[in-house]
Amino acid sequence: MTLAEALRITSQPQPDAPDRAIFLVSGFEPLQLKTFLSATARSNAPEARWTVESGAFGNWLENLERAASSIAETVLAVLEWSDLDPRLGARSAGGWTADILGEARRFLGSARGVLQQVSARKRTVVSGPVLPLLPVDTTAPEELGVLGAGLRLAVAEFRDWVALNTQAVVAGPEALDGELRLDTRRDLSLDLAAGHPLSTPCAAALAALLWRLAFPAPRRKGIITDLDNTLWKGILGEDGIDGIAWSLDRRAQVHAWYQQALASFAGSGVLVAVASRNDPKLTDTALRQPGLLIGYDRMFPVEAGWGLKSEAVGRILATWNIAAGSVIFVDDSIHEIEEVRSRYPDIECLQFECGDPARVMRLIERVRELCGKRNVTEEDRLRSASIRSGQQTASEARASDPEAFLAGLEARLTIGRVDARSFELVNKTNQFNLNGRRYSQAEWEKEVGRAGSVAFSVGYADRFGPLGQIGVVLARCEADALTVITWVLSCRAFSRRIEHCMMRFLFERTGWDRICFEFEPTGRNAPVSDLLRAVAGTDPSGPMSISRDDMTARLPRTYQQIEQSGELTYG
Amino acid sequence: MADSQLIEIFRTVFPNLTDDEIRGATAENVGAWDSIASVNLFLQIQQEFGITVDFEAAASLMSYRAIRDYVAAQVGQAQS
């Protein structure tokens, strides 16, 4: 984005829409950075009215404290060398002496505590320093000097501490290196004239980075991989099991990188499946080899056969029950990629170019960009196994009497307090979602903490294994009714009458004879409208209520044993 | 140096002014002309005309005409 484009965007009137605010914490005069940030927010989220606040010049810590008490739900804290000690900035003439390091450490020590508090309550991103250090050392610029080394170490330790001990998202130290040389980031003339040390390109790049970190694009949930000359070097059908390779001594190290990357992604909850033109039995044998760096149990499903790749991809998407836009497809053949892309234009297709190690490494980095997540939960680790068990469930269900099957599941629902996983579920579930309502962290905490509210999470396990936390309910007790304002259920948990059990639990646990549901059709929440229609006997088109009598008469039998772990969350 | 390029730059900073108003604009008769507006003007001028602006010297240029003359001189110097 150029400055002219940013100015054009920010000069446009904003829509009559919900207000959203960002607090930009900096010690320098934010000027262009603020303009670019404002333009980025308006471009990426035009459904809101954006305000970018900032604090006073020269006091980073005080601005951070001000951010903590502001109404802004997002804090972007941009740290520069001059914040650690003003003598590290171009506008100071205090002398470049060794005691700067002590001052810097004291500043960073103070910042830790404030960041911990702010990030516990607001979405917080920390970046910087992105500018090069001024020539403060006695050594030649190419040589690492004592003061520079000490400062860089102090900042690195600070960044590590913040990343590990707070809820803030920390920009990696090399985040801008791919697009901006260090020597192009500073504008000394502008710094002296106006107190804004960043060059225009640096301000633009930093604003874009801060936005991506604060509001990351939805992560891709699955990777569908080819096998021949992708997962391994060689063609299984021609070279045989002994002929395929993924090791350095067989000049196939890039495939080892790829396998270990897939194993890492699978461990963090990304689904991995195989789509390969190969004999199914031979493929099964090859994938069960003990030397493979991604375990057989980490890949599901495996679609090996001779039909079109796009058809295999379609079956995988159906098994996973996720949209094509949430998936990455990796293949060495540009022909296969184009074939899949023609059928599923929303799939991110990446070509595995096994003859070019740099491109393979770039592919792995790209997958990490698309799939990486900061916190790996127990549900993430269970995801692939739960889909596999879901397949087993569906398979047995098809083969038997439905009621007998459900009764024989040995299913258990665990009702508990809401937590970070609950917040994640509420904001990413689409199909079984009462009204599609999304919350910021602050909005969620406010609703859960509101007087008269009751919130609970639902976990599920049966004889096929655990699914982890799969449902969330948030309701409000009003004078004459209980009103459910948010209700979500993960699509992995469908076909087990869990939603029916949750509805029954609501009536039985709360004692209300009538419960209102703030239903809104979203175009994707047909499973909710199907349930409400079945119980209420009328077509839901908006908020509606269900009586205990209707629930008793129309809700099908449920077989789950309910365990309550601790008290529910009450406002 | 084409006037139209400079007018376009002024238009991004002062979108409510007509071309004629821009040609007669001064920091006194344009309410939105503050120090931030000046910075935005000169940053774009740097990029558009490929010159290096001395921001401290440029801070005294408070009219379209003064800026136009400054830019023309800088561009002329850069070309010679």
Side-chain angles (χ1 to χ4, degrees):
Chain A
M1 187 185 289
T2 64
L3 182 57
E5 285 162 358
L7 288 170
R8 273 190 214 105
I9 291 168
T10 54
S11 68
Q12 300 298 315
Q14 294 212 68
D16 183 18
D19 289 322
R20 295 191 69 178
I22 291 171
F23 199 109
L24 175 59
V25 173
S26 69
F28 56 82
E29 197 58 61
L31 292 182
Q32 273 64 47
L33 180 60
K34 197 169 169 179
T35 301
F36 280 114
L37 202 46
S38 186
T40 302
R42 292 194 194 195
S43 302
N44 286 302
E47 68 280 2
R49 285 179 66 88
W50 286 97
T51 309
V52 178
E53 302 173 53
S54 57
F57 177 81
N59 199 324
W60 194 90
L61 269 178
E62 197 176 280
N63 290 335
L64 186 62
E65 283 160 357
R66 197 175 297 184
S69 56
S70 76
I71 59 162
E73 80 238 14
T74 302
V75 175
L76 305 178
V78 175
L79 190 65
E80 273 309 322
W81 296 108
S82 53
D83 298 312
L84 278 62
D85 187 304
R87 291 172 286 177
L88 293 174
R91 295 172 66 88
S92 165
W96 294 332
T97 51
D99 63 303
I100 286 177
L101 183 55
E103 289 301 319
R105 287 194 175 278
R106 261 187 289 282
F107 168 87
L108 292 170
S110 302
R112 289 182 184 195
V114 184
L115 268 172
Q116 202 166 40
Q117 288 169 26
V118 172
S119 66
R121 294 172 35 225
K122 294 175 189 278
R123 181 188 290 120
T124 305
V125 176
V126 181
S127 78
V130 301
L131 296 176
L133 258 178
L134 293 177
V136 299
D137 269 307
T138 57
T139 51
E142 287 170 340
E143 185 183 337
L144 192 62
V146 171
L147 179 55
L151 288 168
R152 289 188 183 89
L153 182 61
V155 164
E157 287 172 349
F158 169 77
R159 264 199 292 255
D160 289 351
W161 188 93
V162 172
L164 293 172
N165 294 284
T166 76
Q167 297 192 46
V169 174
V170 180
E174 298 158 8
L176 290 185
D177 287 0
E179 55 186 302
L180 268 186
R181 278 176 29 192
L182 209 55
D183 62 348
T184 64
R185 299 184 191 181
R186 190 190 288 280
D187 189 330
L188 284 166
S189 181
L190 186 58
D191 193 2
L192 293 176
H196 182 277
L198 307 178
S199 66
T200 299
C202 185
L206 184 56
L209 171 66
L210 291 169
W211 178 267
R212 287 196 302 273
L213 291 174
F215 305 101
R219 295 293 186 249
R220 302 281 171 147
K221 298 178 185 174
I223 304 168
I224 300 175
T225 182
D226 177 42
L227 295 178
D228 292 335
N229 288 322
T230 303
L231 195 72
W232 50 60
K233 176 182 175 183
I235 297 177
L236 179 62
E238 294 173 9
D239 302 322
I241 287 187
D242 293 334
I244 56 177
W246 52 87
S247 62
L248 186 63
D249 59 311
R250 294 177 70 179
R251 297 187 183 173
Q253 182 70 357
V254 296
H255 302 279
W257 296 346
Y258 182 57
Q259 287 183 21
Q260 65 189 17
L262 286 182
S264 170
F265 295 131
S268 68
V270 179
L271 301 169
V272 177
V274 170
S276 174
R277 286 184 195 262
N278 258 305
D279 174 76
K281 279 193 183 149
L282 189 58
T283 301
D284 189 76
T285 305
L287 288 176
R288 287 180 189 272
Q289 291 185 87
L292 212 59
L293 300 175
I294 173 167
Y296 179 80
D297 63 336
R298 294 288 190 150
M299 296 178 281
F300 183 79
V302 174
E303 286 282 339
W306 306 108
L308 291 174
K309 275 286 171 83
S310 60
E311 288 172 356
V313 166
R315 287 190 294 272
I316 293 169
L317 294 176
T319 300
W320 284 347
N321 194 18
I322 59 180
S326 293
V327 167
I328 302 167
F329 174 68
V330 181
D331 201 301
D332 66 305
S333 163
I334 195 70
H335 168 83
E336 301 284 24
I337 283 175
E338 289 304 323
E339 195 269 317
V340 167
R341 188 181 276 144
S342 67
R343 180 98 173 256
Y344 298 102
D346 290 342
I347 277 193
E348 176 87 14
C349 293
L350 301 174
Q351 188 182 7
F352 193 97
E353 295 173 81
C354 50
D356 191 333
R359 285 186 185 263
V360 171
M361 190 57 77
R362 182 67 199 110
L363 180 148
I364 293 170
E365 286 169 354
R366 178 66 181 145
V367 174
R368 189 170 163 228
E369 278 170 11
L370 294 168
C371 298
K373 68 189 283 190
R374 190 179 179 213
N375 297 310
V376 179
T377 64
E378 193 54 33
E379 276 75 21
D380 292 325
R381 284 184 260 275
L382 290 173
R383 186 162 294 120
S384 181
S386 75
I387 288 183
R388 194 191 292 265
S389 83
Q391 281 284 292
Q392 288 175 273
T393 307
S395 174
E396 273 204 30
R398 282 191 292 273
S400 67
D401 168 63
E403 291 300 320
F405 172 74
L406 288 171
L409 274 177
E410 299 166 24
R412 299 173 303 287
L413 287 191
T414 305
I415 308 292
R417 298 178 73 88
V418 293
D419 56 18
R421 164 67 180 161
S422 313
F423 175 67
E424 186 186 37
L425 262 177
V426 163
N427 277 322
K428 74 175 196 180
T429 303
N430 293 307
Q431 293 178 28
F432 197 98
N433 187 316
L434 185 65
N435 46 40
R437 190 171 302 170
R438 305 299 194 202
Y439 298 85
S440 67
Q441 184 78 47
E443 287 164 346
W444 176 248
E445 288 173 8
K446 188 177 167 190
E447 285 298 334
V448 169
R450 190 190 290 268
S453 74
V454 58
F456 60 87
S457 64
V458 179
Y460 177 87
D462 62 27
R463 62 183 171 87
F464 291 104
L467 295 186
Q469 188 181 137
I470 40 77
V472 181
V473 171
L474 171 64
R476 196 181 298 140
C477 301
E478 283 156 352
D480 54 353
L482 180 76
T483 301
V484 177
I485 60 174
T486 288
W487 185 10
V488 300
L489 180 70
S490 170
C491 53
R492 291 184 292 125
F494 286 178
S495 307
R496 294 168 173 84
R497 290 192 194 157
I498 295 173
E499 62 273 32
H500 305 83
C501 190
M502 289 170 78
M503 182 179 281
R504 179 167 279 122
F505 174 81
L506 266 172
F507 275 98
E508 289 173 359
R509 180 69 170 84
T510 63
W512 288 97
D513 287 332
R514 179 165 291 276
I515 296 181
C516 301
F517 293 86
E518 284 194 357
F519 171 75
E520 287 297 333
T522 64
R524 299 175 75 175
N525 62 352
V528 180
S529 60
D530 289 347
L531 171 68
L532 295 176
R533 183 186 306 113
V535 180
T538 56
D539 261 332
S541 57
M544 61 183 296
S545 67
I546 290 177
S547 70
R548 179 186 290 274
D549 288 343
D550 280 342
M551 185 275 294
T552 305
R554 299 205 180 106
L555 209 61
R557 190 168 170 191
T558 53
Y559 301 91
Q560 297 90 346
Q561 189 184 338
I562 295 181
E563 300 160 0
Q564 192 165 322
S565 73
E567 275 296 312
L568 307 187
T569 310
Y570 287 100
Chain B
M1 184 204 84
D3 253 20
S4 58
Q5 288 170 282
L6 192 58
I7 288 178
E8 186 57 37
I9 288 171
F10 266 73
R11 199 178 288 128
T12 64
V13 180
F14 307 118
N16 296 326
L17 298 184
T18 63
D19 285 8
D20 282 340
E21 286 169 338
I22 285 173
R23 289 192 186 90
T26 70
E28 285 185 359
N29 66 24
V30 175
W33 193 328
D34 55 13
S35 57
I36 293 180
S38 283
V39 168
N40 285 332
L41 284 171
F42 287 114
L43 282 174
Q44 292 186 80
I45 285 169
Q46 274 193 149
Q47 179 147 10
E48 181 69 23
F49 296 102
I51 59 175
T52 302
V53 172
D54 178 344
F55 282 93
E56 289 188 312
S60 62
L61 302 172
M62 290 300 192
S63 69
Y64 172 84
R65 290 205 180 93
I67 290 176
R68 186 195 58 196
D69 293 345
Y70 173 83
V71 173
Q74 294 295 311
V75 169
Q77 238 179 29
Q79 284 170 350
S80 64

